Amino acid sequence: MMFEKLKEYGTEEIHFCNDKESGLNAIVAIHSTVLGPTVGGTRFWPYENEERALFDVLRLSRGMTYKNAVSGLKYGGSKGVIIGDPAKLKTEKLLLAYARFVEHLNGLFTTGEDVNISVKDVEIMSRVTKHMAGIGGEGRGGDPSPYTARGVFAGMRAGAKEKFGSDSLKDKTVAVQGLGKVGYDLCKWLHKDGAKLIVADINEENVERAKKELGATAVGTSEILFADCDVFSPNAMGAVIKADDVSKLKCKLVAGGANNVLVDGSAGDALDKTGVLYIPDYVINAGGVISICLEIERVHDENIANKKMDGIYDNVKNLLDFAKKEGLPTYLAADKYAQKIVDDARKQKG
Ligand code: NAD
């Protein structure tokens, strides 16, 4: 059953880790090393059973391979999951046990933040392994969010060019869901470009700030998806768009930083049928991982980093061209396009 799963996902390796003293149970999936050593975050989650944890790590690590591939990175994809309730289990001892496990993998797996793993946790783990990224300090990359936001803006411009004929967002109305680290910075880029902003956040302070600093109009969190706008930009949680809601959308373009925006493939099909252009999440929100790869390579040049983020414009354009050529909805085209990059690289390696 285990090997069937690995075959189904195309996963190269699975590593299990058990540390009796700290209670650590973790799984690391090395999905693909075809493009290079692997990068992927680590999440801490109270999975209802081991099978769910395995399913998650297989799915997420393949997602990382695809994200890295479409972003032109010379890194493969991987992911780590720590099983259990972080509120009860997360201790320094456990984090260090996990970090030693990462160190054993000797650079095959570089990891960092994800759900329930904070920058502070990553800093603790980096005491015992150099294969942690996304932290502050001398010679490190720091918070990747501003890069992610810059990349999302570039990708949105490429989407706008395709949908509206111009890559300027000037006078376009953009509905932004979530004004956190990525969403707020994105709003700044949009405001600078002359876009009109409609915003929503469960955090009132963020909303007030956007109204005051960026002249945004606020709507309720249940209204933002259906707001009268040209572009809907999800930057909060995942599973935002379901097929049943698509006929009620007023936007023509969906482009944002959030992961796993579509509830499932039927939402992607419905968007495609309705003529709403969806920019796949992992293509447009890759700024964070790009900055992490620069950190791994110890490249600390703001100009190089910014150029790479702006390059997401071309990554999105290439994907949209591929989707058109293949006659596929963009969410399906992205996976096929990424898989093709990996397969071509494998062939070249011989
Ligand atoms: P964040 O926690 O800083 O911001 C999320 C914001 O969404 C918060 O302000 C929160 O109050 C708001 N929010 C939560 N639920 C909401 C709801 N129902 N309606 C409206 N607003 C709501 O997180 P972030 O780092 O800005 O990340 C945002 C999204 O982008 C996440 O899905 C994350 O996985 C994804 N992402 C982030 C990065 C990065 O570099 N930070 C990289 C890739 C993807």
Side-chain angles (χ1 to χ4, degrees):
M1 131 93 173
M2 186 77 85
F3 284 103
E4 280 312 308
K5 279 269 166 246
L6 297 198
K7 275 180 207 152
E8 182 187 335
Y9 284 88
T11 308
E12 291 178 12
E13 297 175 24
I14 292 270
H15 298 262
F16 292 92
C17 174
N18 167 48
D19 180 64
K20 199 174 161 202
E21 290 226 337
S22 63
L24 172 73
N25 281 161
I27 314 175
V28 169
I30 307 293
H31 176 262
S32 170
T33 56
V34 172
L35 296 174
T38 72
V39 186
T42 292
R43 99 176 19 182
F44 205 142
W45 195 254
Y47 293 101
E48 55 199 65
N49 55 45
E50 288 168 12
E51 208 180 340
R52 294 299 306 170
L54 183 63
F55 166 73
D56 215 26
V57 80
L58 289 171
R59 180 179 70 89
L60 294 167
S61 59
R62 182 175 62 184
M64 284 310 300
T65 296
Y66 287 175
K67 185 176 202 160
N68 297 343
V70 296
S71 307
L73 295 167
K74 298 292 166 231
Y75 289 86
S78 53
K79 200 84 183 182
V81 297
I82 301 176
I83 302 169
D85 181 353
K88 293 187 192 137
L89 267 184
K90 205 205 278 179
T91 57
E92 192 167 304
K93 203 172 185 178
L94 180 140
L95 290 171
L96 291 174
Y98 180 72
R100 281 194 293 277
F101 169 55
V102 172
E103 180 63 16
H104 285 162
L105 296 175
N106 205 20
L108 181 65
F109 173 53
T110 297
T111 191
E113 261 187 281
D114 201 88
V115 181
N116 293 324
I117 291 287
S118 65
V119 173
K120 202 167 147 249
D121 298 332
V122 179
E123 277 166 0
I124 291 171
M125 294 192 280
S126 68
R127 280 189 227 146
V128 297
T129 177
K130 41 185 188 310
H131 306 299
M132 291 282 157
I135 51 179
E138 183 63 32
R140 308 300 301 224
D143 179 7
S145 309
Y147 290 122
T148 303
R150 187 176 176 125
V152 171
F153 178 60
M156 190 189 288
R157 286 179 44 236
K161 174 80 182 163
E162 176 72 25
K163 200 67 208 170
F164 310 122
S166 161
D167 59 19
S168 166
L169 273 308
K170 187 169 172 1
D171 296 329
K172 291 280 178 284
T173 302
V174 184
V176 179
Q177 179 186 50
L179 299 167
K181 295 191 291 290
V182 174
Y184 201 86
D185 256 31
L186 173 66
C187 283
K188 287 199 217 158
W189 285 107
L190 289 166
H191 179 66
K192 205 169 149 202
D193 203 29
K196 293 178 210 145
L197 295 169
I198 302 179
V199 299
D201 196 299
I202 50 172
N203 180 331
E204 266 310 307
E205 250 177 63
N206 290 348
V207 174
E208 286 309 312
R209 191 172 152 217
K211 277 162 70 177
K212 201 167 142 220
E213 291 179 2
L214 308 171
T217 304
V219 297
T221 52
S222 56
E223 294 162 64
I224 189 80
L225 177 61
F226 309 107
D228 198 355
C229 62
D230 300 292
V231 186
F232 171 68
S233 183
N235 298 281
M237 63 295 172
V240 184
I241 301 180
K242 58 178 190 290
D244 285 352
D245 285 339
V246 168
S247 63
K248 292 181 259 164
L249 300 184
K250 309 229 173 47
C251 63
K252 290 275 166 264
L253 173 65
V254 174
N259 281 311
N260 306 315
V261 169
L262 306 179
V263 167
D264 55 26
S266 69
D269 295 334
L271 287 170
D272 188 57
K273 275 200 197 103
T274 322
V276 178
L277 179 61
Y278 169 64
I279 309 300
D281 41 16
Y282 67 77
V283 183
I284 193 168
N285 74 13
V289 75
I290 297 173
S291 94
I292 276 171
C293 292
L294 290 172
E295 182 182 334
I296 294 170
E297 291 159 17
R298 300 291 186 254
V299 175
H300 304 297
D301 185 324
E302 194 75 359
N303 291 329
I304 294 177
N306 288 340
K307 219 171 148 190
K308 291 215 179 266
M309 302 309 142
D310 297 344
I312 290 180
Y313 184 106
D314 288 333
N315 300 348
V316 168
K317 186 183 179 309
N318 292 340
L319 180 262
L320 296 181
D321 290 347
F322 181 81
K324 261 194 264 175
K325 203 175 93 207
E326 297 282 318
L328 284 172
T330 53
Y331 83 97
L332 283 179
D335 288 0
K336 191 167 180 189
Y337 181 57
Q339 190 63 55
K340 185 175 169 346
I341 292 170
V342 177
D343 291 344
D344 288 351
R346 188 181 284 117
K347 270 185 222 143
Q348 263 187 5
K349 274 181 157 182

